[in-house]
Amino acid sequence: MLSVKEAIQHMLKSVHPVTESETLSIDAGVDRILAQDVLSTVDIPAYDNSAMDGFALHLTEPNQTGFTVVGQALAGHPFQGQLVPGQAIRIMTGAQVPQGANAVVPIENTEQDKEGEQVRLFNPAQLHAHIRKRGEELVCGATVFSTGHQLTPVDIGLLASLGVAKIDVFKRLQVALFSTGDELVLPGQTRRPDQIYDSNRFVLHAMLERAGFSVLNLGLIPDNKQEIADAFMQASTQADAIICSGGVSVGDADYTKQVIDAHGDVGFWKVAMKPGKPFAFGKVNGSWFFGLPGNPVSATITLQQLALPALYQLAGRRSVEPLEIVVTAGETLKKRPGRADFQRGILRTENGITQVFSAGNQGSGMLSSVAKANCLILLDAEQGTLERGELVRVQVLEKPFR
Ligand code: AMP
Ligand code: MG
């Protein structure tokens, strides 16, 4: 059996990023992966501007509190002129700070005479205060994003603030998705007492889309070697990767591995993790194949822990470590030494102290434990039961999991 780390390393060594790219408008860029470095072609801010509604002053003597008001500046309507010592203008947030001004005083620290010709400061001004300097956030030429960065909503805003309208991104990864199992029916269909609803395809589809991939949902395949083989062959002509849940174990109706053995290449198929263990990685024609266990918890966790790093690399994304923190166990966490455990946990903060608790029954078929969880408790293979109060690593569950 491979360790989780070995399994991931094996896959990362095998898959090579896509190279095809396309040009997009930034509105369509969220979750896409940059195929170019983005350098700023402007200074941000582009000009010195006021951080407050107030007065911009030309200050020469530190204790001066009286100034002559010679005009005003609003955002988009600059003051045309230059301040000389002792002069001020009324200025609003975001307005350009005029030549000669070297401080801004917030309006609430001032009073103006009736005619609006003089302003008096309640306290002396601080030199350079409340002025957002040109280029203080970003200077022209600075690298804002590197190739392989996956864009977030905030990143799209940042691109817009730089004046960038179009970006080069890698082609969206095409992922074909199947379920296998004679016991499965679709929600909404009539179900015999010996059947269950296909839930994996719904979770996995949503997770893959949230990860930024394009999903080709190819439905349910019965436990039949020929039908599985046909489905995989067909999918391999359309997709960069094929993901299938169920049938990767050693049961009498587990044909996935046999099919990959016969028609493709099996990389490995057992990983020392819980939930998980049966997991197949390989190749069918030109497509990478990921065979996930059928148990719903195992399917989601092996997708996230094992398949996603490889899929992201395939899609051109630079590797990003998931957020991990060390907290105290709020209760006993049962574990047998042997495999690495990814227990479903709930992080709770009370009185400023964060502890982790079990999300309940850890059965690998119980998707409700994943629904309740906000983290995975990471327990190394050798680790045994952890007592309350001991330190433990947890991985905060974020997109695409939640
Ligand atoms: P398998 O890996 O095919 O041996 O399946 C292991 C367990 O997961 C069995 O109890 C299956 O009924 C269940 N299972 C397999 N596929 C799905 C699915 N798509 N949705 C929900 N449960 C499934
Ligand atoms: Mg099955």
Side-chain angles (χ1 to χ4, degrees), residues 179-180 183-184 196-201 245-249 254 292-296:
S179 304
T180 66
E183 74 281 32
L184 301 174
I196 61 165
Y197 296 115
D198 175 4
S199 57
N200 287 348
R201 208 146 39 85
S245 75
V248 283
S249 199
D254 292 337
L292 314 181
N295 274 312

Side-chain angles (χ1 to χ4, degrees), residues 1-6 248-249 269-279 293 295 297-299 301-302 306 333-344 362-365 377-386 393:
M1 251 195 291
L2 290 181
S3 72
V4 172
K5 215 175 179 173
E6 287 166 336
V248 283
S249 199
W269 71 294
K270 265 189 187 167
V271 182
M273 67 187 287
K274 194 175 162 216
K277 193 152 108 181
F279 173 87
N295 274 312
V297 180
S298 314
I301 289 180
T302 52
L306 301 178
L333 300 170
K334 285 214 186 96
K335 156 119 176 31
R336 258 182 296 173
R339 290 188 270 160
D341 251 22
F342 297 82
Q343 295 193 5
R344 278 67 70 210
Q362 298 286 328
S364 59
I377 306 170
L378 309 175
L379 300 171
D380 293 336
E382 325 75 70
Q383 170 82 49
T385 291
L386 204 88
R393 281 186 309 133

Side-chain angles (χ1 to χ4, degrees), residues 206-318:
M207 285 175 74
L208 291 164
E209 275 193 344
R210 279 215 169 170
F213 311 136
S214 168
V215 182
L216 214 61
N217 194 329
L218 297 176
L220 255 170
I221 325 174
D223 291 318
N224 174 294
K225 233 193 254 183
Q226 192 54 51
E227 287 190 61
I228 293 174
D230 292 346
F232 287 181
M233 287 315 213
Q234 173 62 25
S236 72
T237 63
Q238 296 169 281
D240 303 299
I242 302 171
I243 295 186
C244 165
S245 75
V248 283
S249 199
V250 290
D252 292 342
D254 292 337
Y255 298 122
T256 311
K257 180 180 175 277
Q258 296 175 33
V259 168
I260 302 298
D261 263 337
H263 297 273
D265 264 324
V266 178
F268 58 83
W269 71 294
K270 265 189 187 167
V271 182
M273 67 187 287
K274 194 175 162 216
K277 193 152 108 181
F279 173 87
F281 166 71
K283 211 163 191 187
V284 181
N285 286 330
S287 300
W288 292 104
F289 175 81
F290 302 86
L292 314 181
N295 274 312
V297 180
S298 314
T300 56
I301 289 180
T302 52
L303 177 77
Q304 185 230 13
Q305 295 292 328
L306 301 178
L308 269 186
L311 290 168
Y312 277 138
Q313 177 165 303
L314 199 56
R317 193 177 95 151
R318 264 178 310 132

